[in-house]
């Protein structure tokens, strides 16, 4: 069977039931000790300007931090991407761009 659970991957992102995502990205990246772990970053509707970052470890999502998009850009469409093996790239339709190193 090829389900995510059979491969040790979570079946859902760490968001409250009924929440809607504005944007999300996920990637397998090096964590502590260079061990590969699944990372996720997401912007949830109603949490304007907040991008939450999580890593999956031992079957649980662990919070890794958050990133704030400045006022004035927070209400714009947000795009998220993991780039260069460990950076989170956040951009908005209004031209705001931020790159944050995760490891």
């Amino acid at each position: 069977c090829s389900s995510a659970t059979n491969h040790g991957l979570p079946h859902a992102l760490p968001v409250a039931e009924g929440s809607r995502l504005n944007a999300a990205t996920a990637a397998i990246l090096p964590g502590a000790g260079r061990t590969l772990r699944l990372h996720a970053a997401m912007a949830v509707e109603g949490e304007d300007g907040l991008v939450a970052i999580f890593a999956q470890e031992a079957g649980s999502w662990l919070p890794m931090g958050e990133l704030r998009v400045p006022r004035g850009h927070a209400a714009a469409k947000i795009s998220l991407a993991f780039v260069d093996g460990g950076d989170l790239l956040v951009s908005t339709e209004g031209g705001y761009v931020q790159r944050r190193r995760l490891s």
Side-chain angles (χ1 to χ4, degrees):
C1 186
S2 63
S3 74
T5 304
N6 289 338
H7 295 284
L9 298 174
H11 67 278
L13 292 171
V15 294
E17 189 172 328
S19 294
R20 294 175 51 120
L21 295 176
N22 285 337
T25 187
I28 296 175
L29 302 168
R34 307 304 294 168
T35 303
L36 294 177
R37 297 190 303 177
L38 180 63
H39 288 70
M42 62 203 78
V44 177
E45 190 176 274
E47 297 288 332
D48 288 340
L50 178 68
V51 176
I53 306 163
F54 294 87
Q56 165 81 165
E57 188 171 302
S60 297
W61 285 108
L62 303 176
M64 302 251 334
E66 58 188 39
L67 188 134
R68 286 261 176 215
V69 175
R71 291 192 188 276
H73 293 283
K77 269 189 189 174
I78 295 177
S79 295
L80 306 172
F82 287 113
V83 297
D84 291 337
D87 291 358
L88 175 61
L89 184 67
V90 179
S91 61
T92 69
E93 68 180 333
Y96 173 80
V97 177
Q98 183 175 358
R99 186 174 180 153
R100 178 173 170 186
R101 185 84 185 144
L102 298 182
S103 56

